[in-house]
Amino acid sequence: MLHQIINQFLQQVEWGELDFLIVDLPPGTGDVVISLVQTVPLTGAEVVSTGSAVALQDARKALEMFHQVKVDVIGMVENMSQMTLPDGQVIDVFGAGGTERTAAQFGLTFLGGVELDPAIREGGDKGMAVTLAGANSKICKGFYEVAKKVAERAKEIAAQGEDVLEVS
């Protein structure tokens, strides 16, 4: 059933002209990735994790799984990397630098971090992405930095004549 849903999502939706197709998958969804690999050629994966030890353990499993199915990993992103309190104090809620260290251990690019901010959740709940505030917005900085690095990597891949489909 899962394979049929993925096939319908990828084959029957009229996407139009795409530069990227990014599929966001929650942890523990190896079956979805295997279905994707069987359905379309994946150019690369982007692994997103918090810096917590448990989340990084899942990320390492994902990295190994992508290696087994021969999907290149473009890099790693640290989600909820830190939180800035109203008084300006910065807290590393999930631990600092774990995702960057894991990327280095696997010889991968660390694509950056996205800060934990209530405005991101509020925007999502309202259906209004905070990224609409633009690249100069403090809240959006991490999103834009990661997107820029992913786009640069995708251009490199496209220059080699490959299609680009990312799964995170």
Side-chain angles (χ1 to χ4, degrees):
M1 187 167 95
L2 180 62
H3 186 75
Q4 289 174 335
I5 291 169
I6 290 170
N7 191 39
Q8 183 178 11
F9 176 74
L10 294 173
Q11 306 292 333
Q12 296 177 9
V13 173
E14 291 187 35
W15 294 104
E17 185 78 21
L18 295 177
D19 291 326
F20 301 95
L21 177 59
I22 298 173
V23 181
D24 185 7
L25 305 172
T29 55
D31 290 345
V32 174
V33 173
I34 291 169
S35 289
L36 281 170
V37 169
Q38 293 171 345
T39 305
V40 294
L42 301 182
T43 300
E46 175 184 317
V47 176
V48 180
S49 180
T50 66
S52 77
V54 172
L56 288 167
Q57 197 170 23
D58 280 343
R60 286 183 196 94
K61 288 178 185 175
L63 292 170
E64 291 296 334
M65 189 230 8
F66 284 123
H67 178 72
Q68 288 176 359
V69 296
K70 297 178 178 25
V71 173
D72 290 328
V73 177
I74 291 172
M76 292 187 73
V77 176
E78 187 164 275
N79 193 22
M80 299 183 279
S81 59
Q82 63 185 24
M83 181 176 188
T84 304
L85 300 178
D87 67 1
Q89 179 184 359
V90 176
I91 300 173
D92 293 314
V93 179
F94 295 102
T99 307
E100 189 168 5
R101 284 190 300 277
T102 301
Q105 288 169 353
F106 279 81
L108 300 171
T109 302
F110 177 66
L111 298 168
V114 176
E115 190 166 334
L116 174 62
D117 191 302
I120 296 169
R121 182 210 34 95
E122 291 165 4
D125 287 349
K126 293 176 184 174
M128 298 180 67
V130 295
T131 52
L132 296 175
N136 294 326
S137 166
K138 180 185 169 297
I139 296 169
C140 301
K141 183 180 176 188
F143 288 113
Y144 278 88
E145 288 175 359
V146 168
K148 181 179 177 184
K149 289 179 182 176
V150 170
E152 288 169 359
R153 181 67 183 120
K155 285 180 186 175
E156 292 171 11
I157 292 167
Q160 297 169 2
E162 299 179 35
D163 291 330
V164 178
L165 171 68
E166 293 186 20
V167 180
S168 67

